[in-house]
Amino acid sequence: MAEDCTNCWLRDTDAYEDLSREELRFMKRFKVGELVVDAGTPIILEGTRSPQLYTVLRGMGLRTKLLGNGNRQVVNFVFPGDFVGLQSAIMGDMGHAVEASTEMTLCVFDRTQIWTLFKSHPERAYDLTWLAASEEHFLGEALTSVGQRTALQATAWALVKIFERGKTIGMVKNGVMDLPYRQQDLADALGLSLVHTNKTLARLRDRELAEWREGRLRIGNLDALADVAEMERVEPKKRPML
Amino acid sequence: MAEDCTNCWLRDTDAYEDLSREELRFMKRFKVGELVVDAGTPIILEGTRSPQLYTVLRGMGLRTKLLGNGNRQVVNFVFPGDFVGLQSAIMGDMGHAVEASTEMTLCVFDRTQIWTLFKSHPERAYDLTWLAASEEHFLGEALTSVGQRTALQATAWALVKIFERGKTIGMVKNGVMDLPYRQQDLADALGLSLVHTNKTLARLRDRELAEWREGRLRIGNLDALADVAEMERVEPKKRPML
DNA sequence: CGATTAATTGAACCTGGTCAATCGGAGTGG
DNA sequence: CCACTCCGATTGACCAGGTTCAATTAATCG
């Protein structure tokens, strides 16, 4: 029942780099199956050595970190095409947990093959490093948002980021994108309280910059929203996908 | 005048993994020279494709991101043994700038050799990925600190992190470590104002948890400080060094 | 229909920011 | 050697962005 990497729907979006026939063959060998999980299911636990690596095929999730006092930080949102479990594969254990926000289907890879990947497929190894560096890049931006932007700016920044990511993988239709998270998730991502996040979203709605209701995000003028966020727009590049 | 990788003083600290003779030989070829910069000098600019890659041999610096409104986020502190320029080498450009806080000497590598490194030295490629994943790991923690911890907790967290890093590379003597940054740097790292950072440091000093004066950090009881931060201590592992 | 979960709104409060002044050390020119 | 300046650290007073508490609404579900 597992899909064939060759026909992976994600490769048809122009968000990802193309792979040669040989490379696809290797990925097929690397892939050991598919995993489908319900919304709310933990996929990887923080601090553990995950037995598996995944690429998200469908659905959305969260990377989260729990603090001793019960506070939660959402480290990132997880979208189709994202690679999950890299830290664990390389360094031994995960710095954050990963959980499903919707039903998700994940492409499962064999972690023990990581080393043969480095030895015999340097292009794929390079892609892995690219993904790690890219995540580092993103987290630097997120840190800057949480540390230096006001609630309004940070919220606008997050919505722009999410919307842009959604666009690259074809999740935006007519300026609307499915965004099946709770306001609490965004609040935990930005280090804001739920109440204030709610009020900030209301402000963006009133200004007709962004409207997020019932799991759907509508943004009319992305540039205007980015201006509020005081962010420099960068055309999203093609990214590798494993 | 360039030091020989074989006798690199950093390899003598037990913070870094050992390299075989062959590996050291390759690193020597990879290395093209040494760079010495004064305190205050920018080493890499944000958003640029840096022509070079560096490993810090001596001195300390900062990774910073500038916001449109002039706000600055300190993304991380840079210590001897840290690798600088990885994002640029892999993804094309840097997400942050790097500048020297003290005089620094850097080991300079040839960026164009990166690809041969992936092809012919998979162990080194693996190490590069390790470094990227490690930085990602750290930034997740930093994000959590800035997002979820109070000023006192965040400050304590930062000092513990810095002190632990300092210990692994032998910079701590008698519970004291050189920390030649300004309070403004720490403030920008934690998303706090200078004034509040100052008062928070005073609080830690009053409680006799940490004392940072005149560029020297003294911590008597690291565990007590970590308790204030509500962080789980993890024994720092050996890390690769290029 | 009661129970649960998420969104929304108002009001009081507080952590941390802003403003402003002072202090001390290092460097510099006379 | 002294006056002057510059930079970073320090402290007090006031202010505000965002948190907390609490109550209400709305939708979903067994």
Side-chain angles (χ1 to χ4, degrees):
Chain A
M1 190 49 152
E3 268 179 81
D4 185 339
C5 303
T6 324
N7 317 319
C8 182
W9 75 275
L10 277 166
R11 303 228 174 261
D12 292 337
T13 69
D14 53 2
Y16 299 103
E17 284 169 1
D18 293 327
L19 289 190
S20 73
R21 191 165 315 230
E22 196 286 319
E23 289 170 323
L24 280 171
R25 202 159 359 177
F26 173 72
M27 288 316 298
K28 269 163 83 169
R29 261 190 298 135
F30 190 24
K31 175 172 177 176
V32 296
E34 264 172 38
L35 173 67
V36 181
V37 298
D38 287 338
T41 312
I43 297 167
I44 299 187
L45 269 35
E46 180 175 349
T48 61
R49 164 154 227 137
S50 159
Q52 253 97 38
L53 297 171
Y54 310 94
T55 288
V56 177
L57 278 184
R58 274 177 254 276
M60 298 162 91
L62 294 170
R63 302 182 192 263
T64 64
K65 260 180 98 70
L66 240 47
L67 222 53
N69 58 18
N71 278 17
R72 183 181 77 145
Q73 176 71 38
V74 167
V75 176
N76 203 169
F77 298 90
V78 177
F79 289 100
D82 281 359
F83 194 71
V84 161
L86 181 58
Q87 279 185 24
S88 155
I90 301 292
M91 299 179 35
D93 61 4
M94 290 291 286
H96 55 259
V98 180
E99 63 178 66
S101 294
T102 67
E103 176 179 301
M104 293 178 82
T105 110
L106 305 142
C107 200
V108 186
F109 299 110
D110 181 3
R111 200 197 61 195
T112 62
Q113 293 284 304
I114 268 277
W115 181 237
T116 79
L117 183 149
F118 268 88
K119 269 192 305 195
S120 62
H121 289 264
E123 311 83 5
R124 293 285 73 67
Y126 191 89
D127 285 349
L128 267 190
T129 313
W130 199 101
L131 289 174
S134 166
E135 195 70 12
E136 179 197 339
H137 189 285
F138 172 83
L139 289 177
E141 278 192 63
L143 183 59
T144 304
S145 269
V146 174
Q148 308 300 333
R149 285 191 236 259
T150 64
L152 190 72
Q153 292 174 333
T155 306
W157 172 83
L159 294 182
V160 169
K161 276 289 176 184
I162 288 170
F163 203 73
E164 281 186 332
R165 182 89 173 84
K167 273 211 285 199
T168 65
I169 50 179
M171 294 178 67
V172 175
K173 285 158 194 131
N174 305 335
V176 181
M177 162 182 183
D178 279 329
L179 196 64
Y181 296 101
R182 291 164 300 153
Q183 292 187 357
Q184 182 70 63
D185 297 328
L186 182 59
D188 289 345
L190 299 177
L192 298 171
S193 71
L194 168 61
V195 172
H196 199 61
T197 302
N198 180 287
K199 288 172 180 170
T200 304
L201 286 168
R203 238 173 348 137
L204 290 174
R205 208 184 305 134
D206 292 344
R207 297 200 196 174
E208 297 184 354
L209 287 165
E211 188 176 342
W212 179 26
R213 316 176 141 282
E214 289 149 41
R216 295 160 61 79
L217 172 65
R218 157 173 282 119
I219 296 181
N221 188 343
L222 198 54
D223 290 323
L225 191 59
D227 282 348
V228 170
E230 293 208 54
M231 59 195 287
E232 11 46 83
R233 301 287 297 289
V234 192
E235 195 59 34
K237 309 189 232 248
K238 281 202 182 198
R239 38 188 293 150
M241 187 183 73
L242 286 249
Chain B
M1 191 51 151
E3 269 179 82
D4 185 341
C5 303
T6 324
N7 316 319
C8 182
W9 74 275
L10 277 165
R11 303 228 174 263
D12 292 337
T13 69
D14 52 1
Y16 300 102
E17 284 170 1
D18 292 326
L19 291 189
S20 73
R21 190 164 317 228
E22 197 286 318
E23 289 169 324
L24 280 172
R25 203 161 3 192
F26 173 72
M27 289 316 297
K28 268 162 82 169
R29 260 190 299 135
F30 190 25
K31 175 173 177 177
V32 296
E34 263 172 40
L35 174 66
V36 181
V37 298
D38 286 338
T41 313
I43 296 167
I44 299 187
L45 269 36
E46 179 175 350
T48 62
R49 165 155 226 137
S50 158
Q52 254 96 38
L53 298 170
Y54 309 95
T55 288
V56 178
L57 278 184
R58 275 177 253 278
M60 300 163 88
L62 294 170
R63 302 182 192 263
T64 63
K65 261 180 97 70
L66 239 48
L67 222 54
N69 57 18
N71 278 17
R72 183 181 79 145
Q73 176 70 38
V74 167
V75 176
N76 202 170
F77 298 90
V78 176
F79 290 101
D82 281 359
F83 194 71
V84 162
L86 181 58
Q87 279 185 25
S88 155
I90 302 292
M91 298 178 38
D93 61 5
M94 291 291 287
H96 55 260
V98 180
E99 63 178 65
S101 295
T102 66
E103 176 178 301
M104 292 178 81
T105 110
L106 304 142
C107 199
V108 186
F109 300 111
D110 181 4
R111 200 196 61 197
T112 62
Q113 293 284 305
I114 268 276
W115 180 237
T116 80
L117 183 149
F118 269 88
K119 268 193 304 196
S120 61
H121 289 263
E123 311 83 6
R124 293 287 72 69
Y126 191 90
D127 285 349
L128 267 190
T129 312
W130 198 102
L131 289 173
S134 166
E135 195 69 13
E136 179 197 338
H137 188 286
F138 172 83
L139 289 177
E141 278 191 65
L143 183 58
T144 305
S145 269
V146 174
Q148 308 300 332
R149 286 192 236 258
T150 64
L152 189 71
Q153 293 174 331
T155 306
W157 172 84
L159 294 182
V160 169
K161 276 289 175 184
I162 288 170
F163 203 73
E164 282 185 332
R165 183 89 174 83
K167 274 211 285 200
T168 65
I169 49 178
M171 295 178 66
V172 175
K173 285 160 194 130
N174 306 334
V176 180
M177 164 182 183
D178 278 330
L179 196 63
Y181 297 100
R182 290 164 300 155
Q183 292 187 358
Q184 183 71 63
D185 297 327
L186 182 60
D188 289 344
L190 299 177
L192 298 171
S193 71
L194 168 62
V195 172
H196 199 62
T197 301
N198 180 286
K199 289 172 179 170
T200 305
L201 286 168
R203 241 180 337 142
L204 290 174
R205 208 184 306 134
D206 292 343
R207 296 200 196 175
E208 296 182 357
L209 287 165
E211 188 176 342
W212 179 27
R213 314 176 142 282
E214 290 150 41
R216 295 161 61 80
L217 173 64
R218 157 173 283 118
I219 296 181
N221 187 342
L222 199 54
D223 291 324
L225 192 58
D227 283 349
V228 170
E230 292 209 53
M231 60 195 286
E232 9 47 83
R233 302 287 297 290
V234 191
E235 193 61 33
K237 305 191 235 253
K238 280 202 182 197
R239 38 187 294 151
M241 186 183 73
L242 285 253

